[in-house]
């Protein structure tokens, strides 16, 4: 039995299905490579699942400036599929949830944000600096607006990473709480246990939807950040 509800986020508290975090990530990336069916005449079941996801994220990327940046669309779309698989595999019982940790989400969001910023600065430094000051602002307000805009741009990778990690962590914590109460009520109340089991099943379905939605929001915000690129 786990000592507290946060023990599910510690990979060394118990033996998980994937004891090595590096092996777990490699397995996710291998699954992405296996679903590439360009060599086959008929699409497989995996490609049938992946194709709508690809079309969804490419439709969003085509509405932003990221589709004009070489390689950005491919990277973000691949990240979208990998995040979905990692989030879904984190729903397996007694499995270490990688996407619920800030160090993992920050390792995805920070390089993308930094690459957009450096690419914009190298392409047109003047236009990049101009983004720090909105148009039409009064002169006496310009110093404060520059500070606010600079702060908002700098904290983007932190807010992006915190959003994904916090939402995935909250879901696993709620499932742990409901599971603990369900186990406690097993020998005391049959009606309470039945209600908790139904609640758990409903929340598990809701958590599966959260896994898809949070991966989409993560990539959606990355694509929106590309609109600040100088062009």
């Amino acid at each position: 039995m786990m000592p507290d509800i946060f023990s599910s986020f510690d990979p060394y508290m118990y033996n998980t299905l994937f004891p090595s975090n590096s092996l777990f990530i490699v397995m996710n990336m291998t699954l992405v490579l296996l679903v590439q069916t360009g060599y086959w005449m008929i699409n497989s079941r995996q490609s049938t699942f992946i194709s709508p996801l690809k079309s969804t994220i490419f439709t969003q990327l085509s509405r932003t400036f990221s589709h004009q940046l070489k390689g950005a669309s491919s990277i973000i779309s691949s990240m979208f599929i990998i995040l979905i698989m990692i989030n879904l595999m984190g729903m397996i019982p007694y499995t270490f949830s990688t996407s619920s940790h800030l160090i993992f989400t920050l390792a995805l969001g920070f390089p993308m944000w930094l690459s957009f910023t450096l690419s914009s600065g190298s392409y047109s430094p003047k236009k990049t600096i101009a983004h720090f000051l909105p148009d039409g602002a009064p002169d006496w307000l310009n110093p404060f607006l520059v500070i606010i805009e600079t702060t908002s741009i700098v904290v983007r990778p932190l807010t992006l990473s915190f959003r994904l990690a916090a939402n995935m962590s909250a879901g696993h914590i709620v499932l742990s709480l409901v599971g603990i109460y369900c186990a406690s009520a097993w020998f005391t109340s049959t009606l309470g246990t039945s209600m908790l089991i139904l609640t758990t099943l409903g929340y598990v379905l809701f958590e599966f939807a959260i896994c898809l939605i949070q991966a989409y929001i993560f990539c959606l915000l990355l694509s929106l950040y590309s609109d600040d690129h100088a062009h």
Side-chain angles (χ1 to χ4, degrees), residues 40-227:
W40 306 102
M41 296 295 293
I42 302 177
N43 291 336
S44 62
R45 295 180 180 178
Q46 293 86 354
S47 64
T48 304
F49 173 74
I50 294 296
S51 296
L53 301 178
K54 287 182 177 179
S55 60
T56 300
I57 192 63
F58 270 112
T59 300
Q60 169 58 34
L61 295 176
S62 63
R63 300 171 182 171
T64 61
F65 188 72
S66 58
H67 74 282
Q68 298 187 18
L69 299 175
K70 294 182 179 179
S73 298
S74 300
I75 294 175
I76 296 177
S77 59
S78 301
M79 189 181 299
F80 175 61
I81 298 175
I82 291 175
L83 276 177
I84 289 178
M85 291 187 174
I86 291 177
N87 292 342
L88 293 179
M89 293 186 71
M91 293 294 296
I92 301 176
Y94 300 102
T95 301
F96 177 68
S97 180
T98 309
S99 58
S100 61
H101 284 258
L102 181 62
I103 188 64
F104 175 78
T105 57
L106 190 61
L108 293 179
F110 181 76
M112 292 298 299
W113 168 84
L114 185 61
S115 62
F116 285 149
T117 304
L118 294 180
S119 175
S120 178
S122 60
Y123 178 76
S124 179
K126 292 183 179 180
K127 292 183 178 180
T128 303
I129 297 175
H131 282 293
F132 291 93
L133 183 61
D135 296 333
D139 295 337
W140 62 272
L141 197 58
N142 287 341
F144 302 100
L145 291 178
V146 170
I147 296 175
I148 294 174
E149 288 295 325
T150 303
T151 305
S152 64
I153 292 176
V154 169
V155 300
R156 278 180 178 180
L158 293 177
T159 56
L160 179 67
S161 304
F162 266 112
R163 181 181 289 104
L164 176 59
N167 282 280
M168 298 308 301
S169 300
H172 291 292
I173 291 174
V174 172
L175 286 176
S176 301
L177 285 173
V178 176
I180 292 173
Y181 284 116
C182 185
S184 301
W186 183 263
F187 300 101
T188 58
S189 175
T190 305
L191 179 61
T193 303
S194 302
M195 295 298 294
L196 287 174
I197 291 177
L198 292 176
T199 303
T200 303
L201 293 176
Y203 194 82
V204 166
L205 296 177
F206 175 75
E207 191 64 21
F208 276 111
I210 291 297
C211 293
L212 301 176
I213 294 172
Q214 290 303 318
Y216 178 76
I217 292 177
F218 187 89
C219 297
L220 171 65
L221 292 176
L222 280 178
S223 64
L224 293 178
Y225 292 162
S226 65
D227 286 338

